[in-house]
Amino acid sequence: MPAKLEGKAVNAPPRPAKTEPVPLTTLVARADAHPAHGDLDGMVTGATLRAQHAQPGDLFAALPGARVHGAQFARDAVAAGAVAVLTDHAGADQLADLDVPVLVHKDPRGVLGSIAAWIYGEPSLRLSVLGVTGTSGKTTTTYMLDAGLRAAGHTTGLVGTVETRIAGERLASAFTTPEAPDLQALFAVMAERGVTHVPIEVSSHALSLGRVGGTRFSVGAFTNLSQDHLDFHQDMDDYFNAKALLFDGRSTKEVVNTDGEWGARLVKADTITVSTEHSADRTAQWTASGITSSIDGEQTFTVHGPDVQFLVTLPMPGTFNVANALLAAACLTVIGVEPDAIARGLNEVQVPGRMERVALGQPFTAVVDYSHKPAAVALALDAIRARTTGRVITVLGCGGDRDAAKRPLMGHEAAVRSELLIVTDDNPRSEDPAEIRKAMIAGAMATEGRGDVREIGDRRAAIAAAVAEAQPGDAVVIAGKGHETGQEIAGIVHPFSDRDELSAAIREVTL
């Protein structure tokens, strides 16, 4: 069951103001579906896979799920105005008496994106969609792309973990990548409102589950790959193969960070390559040189690309953010953004919850970061260590109902890089939070050269304890939840912001 937020229903995703009706016969023919029963003379004007969001004229997608089949909700969708149902054979068997047409396909989820795109007029063909996939850096890179595009004068949309934006209007994000019908409707709304370019995070779940089906990408970009989501994917190869779907021909241009072995696997004859590790010998087409960092984390470096070279000042620490900026610069260049606009955008970029400083006049550094996988924790703490004269104090937890194998690894990476690690709760979801902490602590305590490790389950108390420990020159890092404004415990999402709690704790000790 989805988590509830103070008992409120999730708002319906946006729909375009006008949609040209599409004949059911056209959808049946193009999707290679067949009618189980019902008259196909009708017209469709929308699509959804959630009965509570169904509107008159919709095609309702009744998909098989892990616990229940969507066919159980088809009658509710029809009562709300749905004029047809798309499902599989098992769903059709449950809907034999339904009084609207039932369309059957062996893989309804796999074709739903294309069907939704046809219903909404294939909106991605009217936009320049820039997709970013990878384990870490998706959010940061999409914000960098958005900043560069806006600096060049374009009207942008943005789709990702933190938020969805339509020409400057902000919507909350329920998923990193929305479900297929919602995404196509969203693209149609963006096109309707004058958006020209859309950076979008493309998760492995989205690629595996067909959420970006029917989307044409102007650019597909790859950041990196490290352990994550092995609760969903069988192993790292399966995880990689899901990411690789963005590079199966659906992206007109492909831009890949080749610093790791996984990126190198994606390189083809026409792949645009990016690297911070290959800067010395210029093996990659896009590299950086002269990287310098100030005490407040600002970095300056020169970008080298085919027939172009320009200076960038980036208000974010860490070599990994140089790599993200290079990736963004390469993507922007291939769609025609000029270097001066790219440099201005990167200089002004702000990414909520990603190495985000909380500066309230305190004599120590305080940072909120979304790092919630082993490699991301290591990179974030290494970046903090490089500009910290005192101790690194880290507050970290792991989410429940997710890849359990990474918990001891995260404990290890944080313990070896922190003088003090406080293990706390993240989003325990349906799991016992004490068991999650136990796994993290096991990894931390097995670490040679580790710092002090403490356990404080209450996240608010853990943050307050970290701040109370901080001395001048230290760095306090609150990791794992970043931009999130809630904490999910036993199916209920309680209001909680790391940034707000960190700010309150700093004010308490500095008053």
Side-chain angles (χ1 to χ4, degrees), residues 397-443:
C398 283
D401 301 335
R402 299 294 187 268
D403 180 7
K406 71 181 183 181
R407 294 168 187 172
L409 300 177
M410 288 176 63
H412 163 77
E413 299 293 359
V416 78
R417 291 170 170 82
S418 309
E419 277 75 22
L420 170 59
L421 167 62
I422 300 177
V423 175
T424 190
D425 293 342
D426 189 284
N427 294 308
R429 300 184 176 91
S430 70
E431 288 195 58
D432 179 355
E435 289 300 311
I436 299 173
R437 298 195 303 271
K438 181 178 178 181
M440 291 185 65
I441 291 169

Side-chain angles (χ1 to χ4, degrees), residues 365-506:
T365 299
V367 173
V368 171
D369 190 64
Y370 189 54
S371 48
H372 57 282
K373 61 216 57 157
V377 170
L379 287 169
L381 294 182
D382 284 344
I384 294 294
R385 169 66 63 199
R387 57 190 178 91
T388 299
T389 57
R391 301 172 300 162
V392 173
I393 301 170
T394 303
V395 175
L396 179 67
C398 283
D401 301 335
R402 299 294 187 268
D403 180 7
K406 71 181 183 181
R407 294 168 187 172
L409 300 177
M410 288 176 63
H412 163 77
E413 299 293 359
V416 78
R417 291 170 170 82
S418 309
E419 277 75 22
L420 170 59
L421 167 62
I422 300 177
V423 175
T424 190
D425 293 342
D426 189 284
N427 294 308
R429 300 184 176 91
S430 70
E431 288 195 58
D432 179 355
E435 289 300 311
I436 299 173
R437 298 195 303 271
K438 181 178 178 181
M440 291 185 65
I441 291 169
M445 298 303 289
T447 301
E448 291 186 13
R450 63 173 173 80
D452 185 19
V453 178
R454 301 180 194 173
E455 179 181 6
I456 302 177
D458 182 280
R459 193 172 182 91
R460 180 176 289 108
I463 292 171
V467 169
E469 285 280 349
Q471 299 296 320
D474 288 349
V476 173
V477 182
I478 314 300
K481 289 174 59 60
H483 64 280
E484 294 178 0
T485 56
Q487 184 179 29
E488 185 178 339
I489 305 170
I492 304 296
V493 179
H494 305 270
F496 195 97
S497 162
D498 278 358
R499 181 184 175 87
D500 289 350
E501 296 299 333
L502 180 56
S503 298
I506 291 170

Side-chain angles (χ1 to χ4, degrees), residues 331-345:
C331 292
L332 291 167
T333 299
V334 300
I335 61 168
V337 179
E338 295 296 328
D340 62 335
I342 296 172
R344 288 200 311 276

Side-chain angles (χ1 to χ4, degrees), residues 57-128:
D58 273 0
L59 172 74
F60 175 67
L63 306 181
R67 297 172 183 165
V68 298
H69 199 291
Q72 294 187 22
F73 310 103
R75 289 172 178 79
D76 292 335
V78 171
V83 297
V85 174
L86 171 72
T87 190
D88 59 3
H89 291 284
D93 290 343
Q94 298 182 45
L95 302 174
D97 61 342
L98 203 64
D99 59 0
V100 300
V102 175
L103 313 181
V104 178
H105 193 281
K106 63 181 180 181
D107 181 18
R109 183 179 288 279
V111 297
L112 180 57
S114 294
I115 289 175
W118 299 330
I119 290 171
Y120 292 113
E122 300 193 84
S124 67
L125 298 181
R126 291 176 276 151
L127 302 164
S128 181

Side-chain angles (χ1 to χ4, degrees), residues 61 65 133 144 154 226 268 356 389 403 477 494 507:
T133 197
M144 289 174 171
H154 297 296
S226 62
K268 295 176 282 203
E356 183 179 3
T389 57
D403 180 7
V477 182
H494 305 270
R507 291 190 183 99

